[in-house]
Amino acid sequence: MIAALADSDPELHREFTVESRRGAAENLLIRESGRYPLTARGKINTYSIFAETFRTIIRPDGRMGIITPTGLATDATTSAFFSDTLRSERLATFFDFDNEAKIFASVHHAFRFAVTSMTGGNRVERPLFSFLTRHVAEVHLRQFSLAAEELLLLNPNTGTLPLFRSRRDAEITLGIYRNHPVLIRDGDLNGNPWGLTFSQGLFNMASDSGLFRTADDLTALGASFDGWAWQVGDKRWLPLYEAKLLSHFDHRYSTYKGATQAQLNVGSLPRLTDADHRDPEMEPLPKYWVSKADIDRVLGGRWDRQWLVGFRDITNAGNERTFVPSVLPCAAVGHTYPIAILKDFRLAPLLQAVWSSLACDYVTRQKISGTHLTYGIVNQIAVPHPSTFDQPAPWQPDITLAEYITPRVVELNYTSHRMAPYARDFGYDGPQFPWDPDRRALLNAELDAAMFHIYGLTRDEVEHVLDTFPIVRRNDERDYGEYRTKRLVLGQFDRLEYASSPS
């Protein structure tokens, strides 16, 4: 169509050609001139180019200020620039705002922006910060200082900025990072103790859509459905799990069965009820199925278990929970659900317990400013070293922490027949566990309490962390008339602390 413009509308074609050349020339200048060594990378946004320009041209005793999206300090494409600013101690202030108070009337209320000040060379040992401020007048009430080495402890790979709501959050998070390493430390031969690699799901929901089959497609092929997969002859099609079908310790969270068009339009699906969950034969109905041969081809021998572990990519620091991992039967998985491939599959319940914990969720939400839980964020979450779980449980010294945690994780995961291979891999050969919401709440509280102890938090710090989950509180108060999660977790935390104390 563009080529046809040369004949049908030569003036428009000329304008297009000029603009194309101008755009290419600007791109070449930015990437190849050497003027932007720290920001001319990845998908370039002009605000980062302006920020580097300003920092470059000011005199050594001068300062510059700029209003940009908060991503200047948190995004992967600007990490080289921001980490260099931190390491050279040229950051003076970083004041982060959300736009809920409509400081910028024509900008979306949820947009995050920041006022950043940098020096031309004079060092600032403890820059000032404030986060999630809504009114300019509140900045001086919310600001606190942090040293560059403290910030780099939290994000050593990228040098990007965590987003603390308060000094208390900064102190608790720094305490965690002083005791535990990041999940994967770049450039360190021993920096991946969990032996992890990631796969962005198994299938891209757009580019791989030609491999997807609907129920109507498979019925037309003469395939039969067993409630989970389709088969005709020796050909088998397994369900395509999307992130919204999965939640904490639950691969049967929601289903396309009975979904209305209104629900589909907003990406919200019906949830399986407790009665549904009590049926071990019940599985969520997906939208598509994928040939097992294609699944095996994509896995390429990297994983030989009959189950997978992964997490939701789409998330938000303001959600009920930010880090949402799950174990699921080995099947097709969409690209918004990254899969974790472990060198030693026996570590999977321990990693799932860490990722599912409120302690880990609390750390995660200090780092996320957008809607994606990227590998860069996940790799820099503080996670106890696997050897930690070989130590005796302080509250039950006759078993290790792994022996305390693993059976609870298996019980939470194994509520349907499809998860039998997972349970067998971890030494449980009995029937699936009944779906009992009260029992599951207690098991979750035991795991959360154990993780708070492992992370090294005091009781006061645990209370503070629990109070930073307002949607969990609101839902509990709606359903139980109290903040039940807080009561259960603190009760279990106290029980473990008492059992750990010398008699």
Side-chain angles (χ1 to χ4, degrees):
M1 292 173 66
I2 293 171
L5 288 175
D7 296 321
S8 63
D9 194 338
E11 179 59 25
L12 181 58
H13 186 266
R14 187 192 66 79
E15 291 179 18
F16 174 81
T17 302
V18 170
E19 286 301 307
S20 295
R21 185 178 185 281
R22 183 188 60 79
E26 285 183 356
N27 186 60
L28 184 66
L29 172 68
I30 290 169
R31 293 188 185 275
E32 305 297 336
S33 66
R35 290 188 60 182
Y36 314 101
L38 299 175
T39 55
R41 51 186 70 194
K43 187 176 181 180
I44 296 172
N45 193 310
T46 50
Y47 77 76
S48 60
I49 300 298
F50 275 104
E52 184 169 8
T53 299
F54 292 173
R55 201 193 75 170
T56 299
I57 65 176
I58 53 175
R59 53 190 283 167
D61 60 346
R63 287 199 180 190
M64 54 76 66
I66 188 170
I67 301 174
T68 70
T70 297
L72 181 69
T74 61
D75 290 353
T77 54
T78 54
S79 63
F81 172 71
F82 201 83
S83 64
D84 181 77
T85 305
L86 279 179
R87 295 177 199 278
S88 61
E89 296 185 331
R90 295 176 62 179
L91 181 68
T93 62
F94 184 86
F95 298 143
D96 164 61
F97 296 82
D98 64 36
N99 200 41
E100 289 291 343
K102 285 293 187 176
I103 293 173
F104 293 104
S106 299
V107 176
H108 191 277
H109 69 93
F111 192 78
R112 298 279 294 277
F113 64 93
V115 181
T116 307
S117 175
M118 303 177 191
T119 74
N122 289 345
R123 294 183 177 275
V124 179
E125 292 185 1
R126 297 187 68 84
L128 294 173
F129 300 91
S130 69
F131 298 98
L132 288 167
T133 305
R134 291 192 173 173
H135 302 276
V136 175
E138 295 177 352
V139 170
H140 73 287
L141 300 174
R142 297 172 61 93
Q143 70 185 22
F144 54 90
S145 64
L146 289 169
E149 61 266 21
E150 292 177 318
L151 295 167
L152 293 168
L153 175 69
L154 300 167
N155 284 328
N157 297 339
T158 61
T160 48
L161 197 63
L163 300 174
F164 299 121
R165 291 177 179 268
S166 68
R167 175 72 203 187
R168 185 80 190 280
D169 289 322
E171 290 169 347
I172 293 172
T173 307
L174 282 166
I176 289 172
Y177 275 80
R178 291 187 180 108
N179 293 326
H180 299 285
V182 295
L183 180 64
I184 298 177
R185 179 68 179 261
D186 291 348
D188 185 341
L189 292 176
N190 300 311
N192 186 4
W194 290 85
L196 269 172
T197 56
F198 293 108
S199 171
Q200 191 174 358
L202 298 180
F203 298 92
N204 186 284
M205 297 299 291
S207 59
D208 290 325
S209 60
L211 302 174
F212 304 166
R213 299 291 177 265
T214 65
D216 289 344
D217 294 335
L218 294 166
T219 299
L221 291 174
S224 58
F225 185 52
D226 64 6
W228 186 68
W230 293 80
Q231 185 156 352
V232 58
D234 60 355
K235 294 182 179 180
R236 189 165 170 80
W237 291 265
L238 306 186
L240 173 65
Y241 284 89
E242 299 173 56
K244 55 195 169 190
L245 300 178
L246 306 156
S247 191
H248 293 98
F249 300 114
D250 187 9
H251 76 278
R252 303 187 293 165
Y253 179 67
S254 63
T255 179
Y256 274 92
K257 184 178 181 180
T260 65
Q261 190 58 51
Q263 289 173 315
L264 295 174
N265 289 343
V266 297
S268 175
L269 298 178
R271 296 184 183 179
L272 276 77
T273 65
D274 286 338
D276 292 330
H277 279 94
R278 282 191 284 269
D279 179 358
E281 300 288 347
M282 177 70 72
E283 295 294 332
L285 185 72
K287 188 175 184 179
Y288 302 110
W289 289 260
V290 178
S291 163
K292 186 177 184 303
D294 285 322
I295 297 170
D296 293 341
R297 172 181 55 79
V298 171
L299 279 171
R302 293 175 295 159
W303 187 249
D304 61 357
R305 302 291 103 188
Q306 295 304 303
W307 47 271
L308 299 166
V309 60
F311 57 89
R312 291 187 189 179
D313 169 275
I314 305 297
T315 187
N316 192 289
N319 287 357
E320 179 178 14
R321 294 289 298 272
T322 300
F323 203 151
V324 185
S326 186
V327 166
L328 63 150
C330 191
V333 182
H335 69 277
T336 59
Y337 201 82
I339 298 300
I341 306 293
L342 292 124
K343 189 173 182 180
D344 183 352
F345 76 86
R346 292 171 295 183
L347 295 175
L350 304 177
L351 187 62
Q352 186 187 7
V354 174
W355 281 353
S356 300
S357 70
L358 289 162
C360 184
D361 207 307
Y362 172 76
V363 171
T364 304
R365 58 182 54 201
Q366 314 296 329
K367 293 172 170 285
I368 188 166
S369 63
T371 57
H372 290 276
L373 188 57
T374 65
Y375 298 141
I377 294 172
V378 173
N379 289 352
Q380 295 180 110
I381 294 171
V383 173
H385 193 282
S387 62
T388 301
F389 299 94
D390 296 329
Q391 300 172 10
W395 50 85
Q396 195 174 344
D398 58 326
I399 63 171
T400 66
L401 286 167
E403 290 169 332
Y404 179 85
I405 291 168
T406 300
R408 288 165 170 79
V409 174
V410 170
E411 180 173 344
L412 286 167
N413 282 322
Y414 183 29
T415 60
S416 87
H417 294 323
R418 290 290 164 194
M419 292 303 294
Y422 172 85
R424 305 294 182 265
D425 278 347
F426 297 102
Y428 179 74
D429 200 30
Q432 81 286 338
F433 293 92
W435 183 273
D436 181 341
D438 291 336
R439 167 71 176 169
R440 293 176 65 81
L442 179 61
L443 290 172
N444 270 290
E446 290 177 342
L447 290 172
D448 276 319
M451 286 302 163
F452 279 128
H453 276 286
I454 292 168
Y455 270 106
L457 272 65
T458 66
R459 193 184 196 279
D460 284 347
E461 290 172 335
V462 173
E463 280 203 75
H464 174 83
V465 169
L466 292 170
D467 286 338
T468 64
F469 289 87
I471 301 179
V472 176
R473 175 194 288 271
R474 186 170 71 235
N475 291 345
D476 274 8
E477 290 175 346
R478 177 197 65 202
D479 296 338
Y480 310 110
E482 60 161 339
Y483 190 2
R484 186 181 73 159
T485 298
K486 183 176 182 179
R487 175 176 61 80
L488 291 176
V489 172
L490 285 176
Q492 292 303 315
F493 183 87
D494 291 342
R495 183 180 70 82
L496 297 183
E497 189 168 43
Y498 179 80
S500 302
S501 303
S503 57

